[in-house]
Amino acid sequence: MFDYTVDEGFNVYVDTTSACNARCDFCIANTSGRLEGDTQRFLDGLETALSFTHEVDGTIQVVGGEPLISRRFSLVMSLMKKFTFRRVVVNTNGTRLEERVPQIVEGGVTHVNISRHAISDRENNEVMRFRKEPVTSSDLEAAVAALRNRNIRTRLQGNLINGHLDSLDKIKEYLDFAARIGVDTVSFSELFPLAAFPWYDAPVLRMVGSSSANTRAIVEEIRAMPGIVEYHPYEGRRSAWGDDKP
């Protein structure tokens, strides 16, 4: 038996699938329809990891690919209900989200993070390039309402991309959009250049290296806004939800 020292922000990332129905050029996991492998072996390993995480009151992050299109998703949620965790988060682009609400509830999910990188459906689809039917704002509004009725918190996450979310005015419009569809919180991320490792696709390297919005200018505008009591740049290890102590 090994002794472990575990950070209080301990996370387990449950990678349900590498497949995704979107083709975001900035995504380092940009894939199509790779096989998911032996499901029973995956579940056996997951149960071992969940058992350990439960003991240390950790956080579970369900990720992909796009986890909600995975044939494993319902199995993962059924397995999760055997344990309790400090927090269970599902990260998704919103595909099939309303349909998956019963399984999300079954798995004890506490938060759902939704990727959305523009306000309009047309512009968001330009960025995310869904392979089939894109996720619409109406889809998200219905799903968020269903999750809220089950006391599950939701967050929109937008990337600050040149030509899309690239100014303070657009960020304000995005925040108004988020309020209209009823999410609890919003986060914004900037793109960072990646080292030119061979496992990163060339379009991803080009996108993250040249398409980030001018975040420094946006931050300076925020600092100068009247009514801002405090502004703290993200320092890592601090909850992005803002409802935990640093």
Side-chain angles (χ1 to χ4, degrees):
M1 181 65 67
F2 294 98
D3 291 327
Y4 295 90
T5 300
V6 179
D7 184 85
E8 63 181 3
F10 184 77
N11 282 265
V12 168
Y13 288 86
V14 180
D15 192 346
T16 54
T17 181
S18 63
C20 186
N21 60 328
R23 294 170 293 165
C24 305
D25 282 335
F26 52 78
C27 182
I28 61 173
N30 198 341
T31 59
S32 54
R34 297 180 186 173
L35 296 175
E36 294 182 354
D38 187 295
T39 295
Q40 190 55 56
R41 182 180 179 186
F42 168 82
L43 292 173
D44 289 345
L46 176 59
E47 185 164 12
T48 300
L50 294 180
S51 176
F52 173 75
T53 310
H54 161 75
E55 292 294 329
V56 296
D57 195 30
T59 290
I60 302 295
Q61 298 264 357
V62 181
V63 299
E66 171 48 51
L68 300 191
I69 67 171
S70 172
R71 59 191 173 90
R72 292 173 170 169
F73 183 76
S74 58
L75 300 173
V76 169
M77 292 294 105
S78 294
L79 185 56
M80 294 263 239
K81 69 182 181 182
K82 297 171 60 176
F83 304 94
T84 57
F85 306 99
R86 182 168 60 90
R87 176 180 294 158
V88 179
V89 182
V90 171
N91 297 277
T92 176
N93 62 34
T95 300
R96 300 179 62 188
L97 182 53
E98 185 179 13
E99 173 190 337
R100 291 290 201 178
V101 168
Q103 294 162 352
I104 288 171
V105 172
E106 178 188 24
V109 173
T110 56
H111 298 75
V112 175
N113 295 343
I114 306 165
S115 296
R116 174 89 180 191
H117 307 296
I119 297 169
S120 75
D121 295 336
R122 177 194 58 78
E123 187 177 354
N124 188 62
N125 195 38
E126 286 178 4
V127 176
M128 301 188 75
R129 299 193 298 141
F130 288 96
R131 288 181 168 83
K132 293 183 179 179
E133 290 298 315
V135 178
T136 68
S137 56
S138 297
D139 295 334
L140 292 185
E141 187 171 5
V144 167
L147 291 165
R148 185 171 59 247
N149 288 338
R150 305 307 295 265
N151 297 315
I152 297 172
R153 289 172 60 82
T154 51
R155 181 178 79 182
L156 276 190
Q157 189 274 320
N159 284 347
L160 300 176
I161 300 172
N162 194 35
H164 299 285
L165 279 175
D166 60 358
S167 69
L168 183 56
D169 285 341
K170 288 185 179 179
I171 287 174
K172 290 177 180 178
E173 291 174 9
Y174 188 96
L175 292 173
D176 289 339
F177 166 76
R180 287 198 302 274
I181 67 171
V183 298
D184 296 292
T185 55
V186 178
S187 71
F188 298 101
S189 301
E190 62 181 319
L191 303 180
F192 288 98
L194 294 168
F197 293 124
W199 50 82
Y200 292 141
D201 291 343
V204 173
L205 292 172
R206 286 196 298 271
M207 178 74 171
V208 300
S210 63
S211 299
S212 181
N214 186 348
T215 54
R216 184 180 296 275
I218 294 171
V219 166
E220 290 307 312
E221 282 192 81
I222 293 172
R223 288 183 187 275
M225 287 176 64
I228 297 294
V229 178
E230 284 187 274
Y231 171 79
H232 297 282
Y234 178 65
E235 298 171 358
R237 294 176 56 86
R238 180 172 292 182
S239 171
W241 286 92
D243 55 2
D244 288 341
K245 294 179 180 178

